[in-house]
Amino acid sequence: MKGFGRAVVRLRIPILILAVILLIPAAIGYLNTRTNYDILTYLPKEIETMQGQDILAEDFGTGAFSLIVVEGMKEKDIKAMAEKMEAVDHVTKVIWYGTLLDVSIPVELLPSKYTDMLKNGDATLMIAVYDSTMSSDETMKAIADLREVTDNQVYISGMSAIVVDTKDLSDREVPMYVVVAVALCLVVLMITMDSFLIPLFFLLSIGFAVIYNMGSNFIQGEISYMTKALAAILQLAVTMDYSIFLWHSYEEEKKEAQGDKKVAMANAINSTLSSVVGSSITTVAGFVALMFMSYTMGLDMGIVMAKGVVFGVICCVTILPSMILVFDKAIEKTVHRPIMPNFSKLSKWVVNHFYIGLILFAILIVPAYIGQSKNEVYYNLDSSLPKDLPCIVAGEKLEQSFDMASTHLVLMDSKLDSKTVNKFVEEVKQVQGVKAVVGLNSIIGPLLPKELIPKMLTKILDNGEYQLIFILSEYKVATDEVNAQCDTINEVLDKYDTKGMLIGEAPCTQDLIKITDHDFKVVNLVSIILVGVIVLLVFRSLTLPVLLVATIEFAIFINMGIPYYMGTVLPFVASIVIGTIQLGSTVDYAILMTNKYKGYRMSGLDKKEAVTSALNSSIASIIVSALSFFAATIGVGLYSNIDMIGALCTLLARGAIISMFVVIFFLPAVLRVFDPIIIRTTMGFRGIRKGKEERQGEAL
């Protein structure tokens, strides 16, 4: 370990040169990592809705379609526009009421129920079918081209359109997330550190780690847009502590080394490495817990963020010390007195009035627990987007003009007789909220021969093995009404075709609700167990893991309970990931104070003195750490127009501050009250118990 610090100091110039060179492959990897903007693709591949999507892609040569509303156009203009739209790459067919008017079909044979369904006043409904999947690059490009060839005269709705607009909005905003986070972090560090220049090197070092991490995502092939948007921000927030610790350690070592900066830095690197490895393990554990989700966005985010913490540690003990030594003179010229006040009076007051922390706990725990357990969440992606986006406007136009809010797809056996299919169709039409049912068999009806239907339409709706039926619903995705509707349709489907499948955005979202509800319980349990085991190994104690984890869980309950009392609806991802990230990232505050408490207690101080000294010596570090975390996330929370990202960052920012207050005002009370139990259940305290017993014997 000692040799590592000396090696870094000796090779500081080659390290910086290598660090810059490695940015090139990292940048190439980043640019060639695909971003996935469709949250439904992370559902388990074995569930029926996902298997149905695969059948659409493989057997029908499609996996996506868009509902398009056209207003105020004459039939000949709509026909011309449809032809232009069909000329767009990856658009296989544009279906509208005119599609059924083949020259060989007498108009009087065309059922009016279909022309009525596809036309309402001056509004016409069109269905664009693609030969690519819902969120593929080809489909997204096709939608962008459709908007271009139609001069944005049409309203394109559906999940694929939502994915396109999410991509455009996210790609515009993500660079600003980094700018805002860095700027606010810089303000906090300028105030709390003792040099105006050193914060720039902190951020530069973390910047190297972020680029390496994002570049290495190339190995995964793709990452979710949520991961891409949050990775840099979270990596900055959770690894800033390591840089601060190195700097403080270096400042202390310079005094011991009598001005020999190289020796001081070598010792600081060794000290930092042993400390941050222990600290980073709990953070990594929080992200590892996400990997246990059945909904694989957790695996995606967990891998990227755990990897980011590792890169952060490596850069902290190699690149940062190298920069500090190379630019030491410039840093010294910007040294100033820290603005942080002395907290000794506050520490004494908190410990002397420890019962206040216990009273606040007793008052807050019940409403906090109730609030966090009753939060309302949303699952549909469009709820997180600005209302003026084209896809949202199109969805509202579809609902206003045709009273439709979602579309389901049914895959049935192509060999079923017409009578059976018609019975299914008629029964589904009676399901509450179903506006229309469209399939090849229902279009043909009893009067129209199958041979008269255009071949392209036949190919789209029947591939010889499966027939495709569209169910148009007036209910929005992710509502209780549409979920009940899907359950009823599945029951009807099972009566006529046991191998039939109900797929589409609403059924997929219904699966998402069920799966993530299970994931919430699993992730919380796994994160508590992992962090608890790490604390147990760090302190070799049976009680401290319970006390420290319970302290941060109390902070999490408060944080997650606030939205319920404020009437805020959260994105479903927040309810799953916030707890484990807050636990893994902020339990370090509790570990820092407890470690100092243990040291002071073992040095002979009584419990009150030990707790007071531990709080006084750690409070500044806890505040700086929490403020840095807050600064890195709150700006993004306020700036982002994507609520799924903004809400997560706001919760993380608030969670850091709440954890800070809970550790400062509640943990000292816990340590003081449970001190007798702690010293009896923690290795290393045996001498304290023995010394106390001997003193009691002498007194007798």
Side-chain angles (χ1 to χ4, degrees):
M1 185 70 75
K2 292 182 179 179
F4 177 79
R6 289 196 295 268
V8 171
V9 171
R10 186 174 67 255
L11 300 172
R12 58 191 179 279
I13 301 299
I15 286 173
L16 290 179
I17 294 173
L18 179 62
V20 173
I21 293 174
L22 288 176
L23 291 176
I24 298 173
I28 294 172
Y30 172 75
L31 294 174
N32 288 279
T33 301
R34 184 179 183 275
T35 305
N36 188 344
Y37 296 87
D38 184 359
I39 64 174
L40 296 179
T41 58
Y42 292 97
L43 288 167
K45 302 303 180 185
E46 66 272 11
I47 63 176
E48 184 176 278
T49 47
M50 298 307 289
Q51 290 176 349
Q53 295 288 347
D54 292 338
I55 291 172
L56 273 182
E58 296 168 9
D59 296 355
F60 282 86
T62 184
F65 65 92
S66 295
L67 297 180
I68 303 173
V69 178
V70 182
E71 289 184 331
M73 277 194 184
K74 296 179 179 180
E75 185 176 314
K76 64 176 183 177
D77 296 326
I78 296 175
K79 184 178 180 181
M81 179 176 287
E83 291 173 353
K84 289 170 63 178
M85 294 166 74
E86 286 179 344
V88 171
D89 287 344
H90 304 291
V91 177
T92 59
K93 188 66 178 174
V94 176
I95 303 170
W96 58 297
Y97 74 89
T99 308
L100 306 179
L101 295 173
D102 191 86
V103 291
S104 60
I105 305 176
V107 176
E108 59 268 17
L109 292 182
L110 188 67
S112 61
K113 57 186 176 181
Y114 294 113
T115 56
D116 292 342
M117 179 190 68
L118 297 173
K119 188 171 179 61
N120 183 17
D122 68 343
T124 300
L125 180 63
M126 311 173 81
I127 303 175
V129 182
Y130 310 101
D131 63 7
S132 45
T133 54
M134 185 183 297
S135 57
S136 67
D137 294 335
E138 293 81 6
T139 300
M140 289 192 286
K141 177 68 165 57
I143 290 176
D145 290 343
L146 284 175
R147 287 172 173 169
E148 185 175 345
V149 300
T150 60
D151 294 325
N152 291 313
Q153 291 178 292
V154 301
Y155 300 92
I156 304 176
S157 66
M159 188 63 189
S160 296
I162 291 173
V163 170
V164 171
D165 290 339
T166 301
K167 176 184 182 301
D168 293 342
L169 182 59
S170 178
D171 288 351
R172 289 198 307 269
E173 288 196 349
V174 166
M176 282 303 300
Y177 295 165
V178 177
V179 171
V180 170
V182 167
L184 293 179
C185 268
L186 196 58
V187 171
V188 170
L189 292 173
M190 289 286 191
I191 294 172
T192 57
M193 301 305 294
D194 56 357
S195 166
F196 289 120
L197 190 57
I198 194 62
L200 295 176
F201 291 111
F202 287 175
L203 295 170
L204 190 58
S205 171
I206 295 173
F208 276 88
V210 168
I211 295 172
Y212 297 154
N213 185 36
M214 298 303 285
S216 67
N217 293 332
F218 176 75
I219 300 171
Q220 295 172 239
E222 68 175 28
I223 59 173
S224 73
Y225 84 97
M226 290 283 294
T227 302
K228 180 180 178 180
L230 293 172
I233 308 307
L234 286 180
Q235 193 172 339
L236 172 63
V238 302
T239 62
M240 180 60 73
D241 291 355
Y242 312 153
S243 300
I244 295 171
F245 190 93
L246 175 79
W247 175 250
H248 286 162
S249 181
Y250 174 56
E251 292 285 278
E252 293 174 4
E253 292 292 343
K254 279 197 297 186
K255 299 174 184 176
E256 298 292 329
Q258 298 179 344
D260 191 329
K261 296 177 181 178
K262 294 180 181 179
V263 172
M265 182 57 78
N267 292 336
I269 292 170
N270 295 329
S271 173
T272 300
L273 186 59
S274 59
S275 298
V276 301
V277 166
S279 174
S280 64
I281 289 174
T282 57
T283 307
V284 169
F287 293 122
V288 167
L290 296 176
M291 301 180 195
F292 287 82
M293 292 172 61
S294 301
Y295 181 62
T296 55
M297 186 185 284
L299 177 65
D300 177 82
M301 186 177 292
I303 291 175
V304 173
M305 290 314 308
K307 183 160 52 70
V309 174
V310 174
F311 276 116
V313 172
I314 294 172
C315 291
C316 173
V317 295
T318 55
I319 296 175
L320 180 58
S322 299
M323 288 192 296
I324 290 174
L325 287 176
V326 170
F327 297 97
D328 183 72
K329 291 183 179 179
I331 293 172
E332 285 191 345
K333 290 180 180 179
T334 65
V335 170
H336 67 88
R337 183 178 178 181
I339 303 176
M340 292 286 284
N342 187 296
F343 293 102
S344 58
K345 291 184 178 179
L346 176 62
S347 301
K348 290 179 181 178
W349 186 90
V350 169
V351 177
N352 288 335
H353 299 82
F354 70 96
Y355 53 86
I356 294 178
L358 299 177
I359 292 172
L360 288 174
F361 171 80
I363 293 173
L364 294 175
I365 185 60
V366 173
Y369 178 79
I370 293 173
Q372 63 86 33
S373 65
K374 290 188 175 183
N375 271 322
E376 187 178 352
V377 299
Y378 65 81
Y379 293 86
N380 48 327
L381 183 59
D382 59 349
S383 293
S384 71
L385 300 174
K387 300 306 178 185
D388 58 350
L389 283 186
C391 63
I392 307 300
V393 174
E396 292 175 351
K397 186 66 66 175
L398 178 66
E399 190 172 356
Q400 292 168 5
S401 300
F402 294 94
D403 200 18
M404 296 178 195
S406 60
T407 305
H408 319 319
L409 304 177
V410 173
L411 289 172
M412 294 187 76
D413 189 346
S414 184
K415 298 178 180 60
L416 289 173
D417 60 87
S418 298
K419 185 177 180 180
T420 300
V421 177
N422 283 332
K423 283 184 178 180
F424 166 75
V425 169
E426 290 304 316
E427 194 166 342
V428 169
K429 285 180 181 177
Q430 304 307 312
V431 175
Q432 189 171 0
V434 171
K435 294 293 295 181
V437 182
V438 182
L440 187 60
N441 200 70
S442 57
I443 290 175
I444 295 172
L447 301 176
L448 196 61
K450 185 174 182 179
E451 291 74 18
L452 295 181
I453 298 295
K455 291 182 179 179
M456 176 58 76
L457 187 60
T458 304
K459 183 180 177 182
I460 291 173
L461 297 177
D462 193 330
N463 73 341
E465 184 177 357
Y466 293 98
Q467 56 182 302
L468 185 61
I469 299 173
F470 289 80
I471 299 176
L472 307 180
S473 171
E474 65 183 54
Y475 296 145
K476 290 186 176 181
V477 172
T479 59
D480 293 338
E481 292 82 4
V482 83
N483 292 337
Q485 185 184 77
C486 289
D487 290 338
T488 305
I489 293 172
N490 270 317
E491 292 172 5
V492 175
L493 181 59
D494 286 341
K495 287 168 54 178
Y496 296 97
D497 185 0
T498 55
K499 294 183 179 179
M501 299 179 185
L502 177 66
I503 60 178
E505 186 184 355
C508 283
T509 305
Q510 186 180 24
D511 286 335
L512 177 66
I513 294 171
K514 295 174 183 176
I515 289 168
T516 52
D517 182 61
H518 171 263
D519 283 343
F520 171 73
K521 300 179 180 69
V522 170
V523 168
N524 279 343
L525 180 61
V526 170
S527 63
I528 288 171
I529 291 173
L530 288 177
V531 172
V533 169
I534 292 168
V535 176
L536 185 149
L537 296 175
V538 169
F539 289 106
R540 296 178 297 169
S541 170
L542 295 176
T543 51
L544 286 176
V546 176
L547 296 175
L548 300 195
V549 170
T551 297
I552 302 302
E553 283 296 317
F554 173 47
I556 293 170
F557 285 174
I558 295 174
N559 188 28
M560 295 303 294
I562 290 173
Y564 170 72
Y565 295 105
M566 292 181 66
T568 304
V569 181
L570 299 174
F572 74 95
V573 176
S575 62
I576 303 172
V577 306
I578 290 298
T580 184
I581 295 176
Q582 186 175 342
L583 175 60
S585 303
T586 65
V587 74
D588 290 346
Y589 307 165
I591 291 174
L592 173 65
M593 184 184 298
T594 304
N595 198 42
K596 290 182 178 295
Y597 152 78
K598 182 180 178 181
Y600 287 124
R601 197 75 173 89
M602 291 178 67
S603 70
L605 296 181
D606 64 28
K607 64 181 181 182
K608 181 180 176 181
E609 293 172 333
V611 173
T612 303
S613 298
L615 176 58
N616 187 47
S617 59
S618 61
I619 190 170
S621 298
I622 292 171
I623 291 174
V624 172
S625 177
L627 289 179
S628 299
F629 197 117
F630 177 81
T633 50
I634 189 60
V636 178
L638 296 174
Y639 174 82
S640 179
N641 286 304
I642 303 175
D643 185 62
M644 201 166 284
I645 294 171
L648 276 171
C649 287
T650 300
L651 285 166
L652 287 169
R654 188 171 64 208
I657 298 301
I658 292 173
S659 289
M660 177 191 77
F661 278 108
V662 168
V663 169
I664 291 174
F665 291 99
F666 176 64
L667 183 58
V670 171
L671 295 176
R672 182 169 176 178
V673 170
F674 288 94
D675 177 82
I677 301 175
I678 293 172
I679 63 174
R680 284 173 173 78
T681 57
T682 304
M683 294 181 67
F685 277 134
R686 187 173 181 180
I688 294 176
R689 296 198 302 272
K690 183 178 178 182
K692 183 177 180 180
E693 291 166 359
E694 289 175 351
R695 287 194 296 273
Q696 288 176 341
E698 291 173 0
L700 291 173

